[in-house]
Amino acid sequence: MARRTFFSFHYSSDVWRAWNVRNSWVAKPDHVDIGFFDRSVFEASKRKNDDTLKAFLRKGLENTSVTCVLAGTNTWRRRWVRYEIARSIIKGNGLLTVYIHGVRDRNGYTSAKGYDPLAQMGIYRSYGSIYLAEWTGSKWVSYSDYTRAIPESELWFVGPKTDAVLQISSHCMAYDYTQQHGHKNIGGWIETAAGLAGR
């Protein structure tokens, strides 16, 4: 079956690496990639205002069943990658992290491994409702780009029972594209993420 996958990544640092991953993905039969926007379109939406960019990213996630976060050195810090993760959780997409720091850039260089972006986002319970949280580098805070409660019935994993933050990564798989032969295996990784989410 066709698997529509949204790829989330840090554009300015990792677009070359991300395109290499994308090319190995679309070479497989029945695979459809989403999330590879032309930079000019992204920047135009960003220049208008945050709400325009959020709407643009939500539109990009439509009709997808999996979000694959391509993690480079600083992907975990990026506001809009976090927003794509947040909207993927709300939407019920399967999620996975694929580390791409070992993929060579256009100049032949690799980069340092960064933190898992899915470990920097979490959910917690407050007064019986589920909310999103994000890691600032020193503490967990309420996620400011989406402040409404998430219906617990929409989660594909068991929600937290207390106000302690549950990292999204605790329910998702992470892989190293270079060391684990991603050019051969990424299709299986994405199918696993879809299966975990019941998608």
Side-chain angles (χ1 to χ4, degrees), residues 6-199:
F6 185 94
F7 289 90
S8 178
F9 57 95
H10 180 191
Y11 194 99
S12 60
S13 294
D14 295 319
V15 67
W16 185 270
R17 295 181 176 96
W19 272 101
N20 279 315
V21 173
R22 178 251 186 205
N23 288 338
S24 72
W25 166 247
V26 297
K28 311 287 191 291
D30 296 328
H31 294 172
V32 182
D33 68 303
I34 306 294
F36 280 84
F37 309 117
D38 182 277
R39 184 172 180 80
S40 63
V41 176
F42 182 89
E43 291 297 337
S45 298
K46 189 176 178 181
R47 273 195 301 272
K48 288 183 182 178
N49 56 53
D50 287 353
D51 289 338
T52 300
L53 182 53
K54 287 177 180 180
F56 173 75
L57 296 175
R58 289 195 303 273
K59 179 77 173 168
L61 280 159
E62 284 181 6
N63 302 315
T64 62
S65 55
V66 175
T67 298
C68 179
V69 182
L70 302 177
T73 304
N74 290 303
T75 310
W76 67 278
R77 298 177 186 268
R78 307 307 298 172
R79 177 184 180 187
W80 299 115
V81 168
R82 289 187 177 196
Y83 186 74
E84 290 161 350
I85 293 169
R87 296 307 306 198
S88 298
I89 294 164
I90 294 161
K91 186 178 177 298
N93 273 17
L95 284 154
L96 72 154
T97 297
V98 176
Y99 291 102
I100 60 170
H101 63 286
V103 177
R104 296 188 182 279
D105 66 12
R106 67 187 316 157
N107 297 311
Y109 296 113
T110 59
S111 62
K113 184 175 182 178
Y115 295 117
D116 183 348
L118 295 179
Q120 314 307 308
M121 294 290 293
I123 55 174
Y124 66 98
R125 185 179 295 274
S126 179
Y127 299 103
S129 296
I130 303 292
Y131 295 92
L132 287 162
E134 64 180 326
W135 181 250
T136 66
S138 60
K139 64 180 180 178
W140 288 101
V141 298
S142 295
Y143 182 62
S144 61
D145 278 316
Y146 188 91
T147 57
R148 289 178 282 177
I150 301 171
E152 191 165 3
S153 60
E154 299 296 316
L155 296 175
W156 53 263
F157 50 86
V158 177
K161 303 303 179 192
T162 70
D163 62 356
V165 174
L166 173 70
Q167 291 171 292
I168 301 305
S169 60
S170 65
H171 289 287
C172 304
M173 301 294 291
Y175 307 91
D176 186 300
Y177 187 83
T178 304
Q179 292 185 2
Q180 294 178 270
H181 309 289
H183 63 288
K184 295 184 203 172
N185 298 319
I186 192 168
W189 300 342
I190 287 170
E191 286 300 321
T192 297
L196 288 171
R199 300 298 300 266

